Amino acid sequence: MFLLSTIAILTTIGLALIRAISGPSTYDRILALNMVGTKTTLLIVAIGFLTNRPDFVDIAMVYALINFIGVIAMLKYTRYGQFANSLDPDNLNTDNKEN
Amino acid sequence: MSIEIYIDLVLVIFLVITGLAVIYVRNLFAVAMLSGIYSLLMASIFVVLDAVDVAFTEASVGAGISTVLMLGVLAITGNREKVSHKSSVLPLLIVIGTGSLLVYGTWDLPMFGDPNAPVHMHVAPEYISNTYKHTGMPNIVTAVLASYRGYDTLGEVGVIFTAGIGVLLLLSKRKTKKEVNQQNKLKEKL
């Protein structure tokens, strides 16, 4: 059961990797990174149960938090082109939409 | 045990693909994303190899902070890499030479998990037998970090806190006079 889910998670990581390399748009790549982060979280949980160490769940949760903050920062960058003072709608970054 | 080896193998293959893609993809935003993926894969390998704390560092520094910092650099520079036509034979030879030296160095290492390795014979038996008596903590690594080396860890926390404040100061751009004037004008209009 856990072996099957591990194989499925590894396959998903491979597919996300293909999407990250081939693109084509910026958002495909951010989504691919987010996907790999989520699958890493799941992989850690699956490996934890596979090797009889259920305490890996706690570790996986911290990974989810790191992943969340990282993706928020990336999306903020792609929308505003900077990390500071960016709640201003005049600062919209227009040249970064495609590639 | 054998399952973990297969998981490791698949992850290493992904790692190689990601590394090659970082070299060949010219879009720098994609390269930043790929290096984040590289760190996450590396963190998974560390977890499979039982080095959970190293994996933590790799995931938070590699996938979290350094991706964000690279994006910060991309905001200042451009998004495309210039194609260089220099010959890369010498660097390749140096890299292959260093790599084979490192592999040669691993031949002298004791086997993974060998209880008779020198590193396990020095102070480790004492910690293993006395840690629970001294500190009452079931996890020896935590006991060493938080109890035996408590002051050391406190200093580290101080360093990381200072570094965090420094990064925050660098990333938060102060408003220029022009921007402040523009905002004041907008307020007057409203």
Side-chain angles (χ1 to χ4, degrees):
Chain A
M1 183 67 184
F2 290 119
L3 185 63
L4 203 67
S5 45
T6 309
I7 293 168
I9 291 165
L10 286 175
T11 318
T12 321
I13 291 181
L15 293 173
L17 197 57
I18 294 171
R19 189 40 70 196
I21 295 170
S22 64
S25 79
T26 303
Y27 297 104
D28 286 323
R29 289 180 167 127
I30 295 178
L31 195 59
L33 179 63
N34 188 17
M35 180 72 99
V36 174
T38 318
K39 294 312 148 205
T40 310
T41 314
L42 292 179
L43 185 70
I44 291 167
V45 176
I47 289 172
F49 282 106
L50 199 64
T51 54
N52 287 323
R53 278 173 297 184
D55 44 324
F56 274 22
V57 176
D58 300 346
I59 298 161
M61 265 194 279
V62 181
Y63 274 74
L65 290 177
I66 293 170
N67 192 27
F68 176 72
I69 296 170
V71 170
I72 293 270
M74 271 162 243
L75 289 174
K76 199 172 169 185
Y77 162 75
T78 42
R79 188 163 167 88
Y80 298 105
Q82 60 180 24
F83 292 115
N85 300 339
S86 49
L87 288 175
D88 212 354
D90 299 339
N91 279 345
L92 274 184
N93 186 16
T94 45
D95 55 62
N96 209 359
K97 274 187 181 142
E98 286 289 320
N99 273 341
Chain B
M1 184 62 209
S2 63
I3 301 165
E4 290 179 26
I5 287 178
Y6 289 120
I7 295 173
D8 260 346
L9 197 67
V10 176
L11 287 173
V12 167
I13 290 170
F14 285 162
L15 208 60
V16 171
I17 295 171
T18 319
L20 288 176
V22 167
I23 299 173
Y24 284 109
V25 173
R26 293 285 169 216
N27 181 352
L28 289 177
F29 186 85
V31 171
M33 294 296 110
L34 282 168
S35 62
I37 291 176
Y38 186 93
S39 297
L40 285 170
L41 289 172
M42 202 68 223
S44 327
I45 291 179
F46 284 141
V47 168
V48 179
L49 288 175
D50 260 347
V52 182
D53 44 341
V54 185
F56 254 158
T57 319
E58 177 69 40
S60 53
V61 174
I65 295 297
S66 65
T67 312
V68 170
L69 286 181
M70 264 191 261
L71 288 180
V73 173
L74 281 187
I76 300 168
T77 63
N79 221 344
R80 300 287 300 178
E81 185 183 355
K82 271 186 197 153
V83 185
S84 137
H85 294 287
K86 274 185 201 160
S87 152
S88 48
V89 177
L90 185 68
L92 187 67
L93 284 179
I94 293 173
V95 167
I96 289 175
T98 319
S100 34
L101 272 179
L102 287 173
V103 171
Y104 174 71
T106 60
W107 289 352
D108 266 352
L109 287 179
M111 286 298 289
F112 178 68
D114 181 10
N116 294 320
V119 66
H120 298 313
M121 305 300 289
H122 184 46
V123 289
E126 203 174 313
Y127 278 125
I128 289 170
S129 53
N130 291 330
T131 297
Y132 195 74
K133 248 184 280 169
H134 288 165
T135 63
M137 272 187 249
N139 188 329
I140 298 173
V141 176
T142 312
V144 169
L145 283 178
S147 177
Y148 289 112
R149 296 184 198 160
Y151 288 113
D152 188 42
T153 308
L154 185 67
E156 274 175 36
V157 171
V159 169
I160 292 170
F161 182 66
T162 320
I165 290 177
V167 169
L168 279 180
L169 285 176
L170 283 176
L171 283 181
S172 64
K173 202 178 73 179
R174 204 180 287 172
K175 275 184 187 165
T176 54
K177 258 188 187 170
K178 207 177 156 191
E179 281 170 336
V180 175
N181 283 341
Q182 272 181 347
Q183 269 197 346
N184 288 340
K185 274 182 191 171
L186 274 176
K187 273 180 194 166
E188 278 170 19
K189 273 184 191 173
L190 288 171

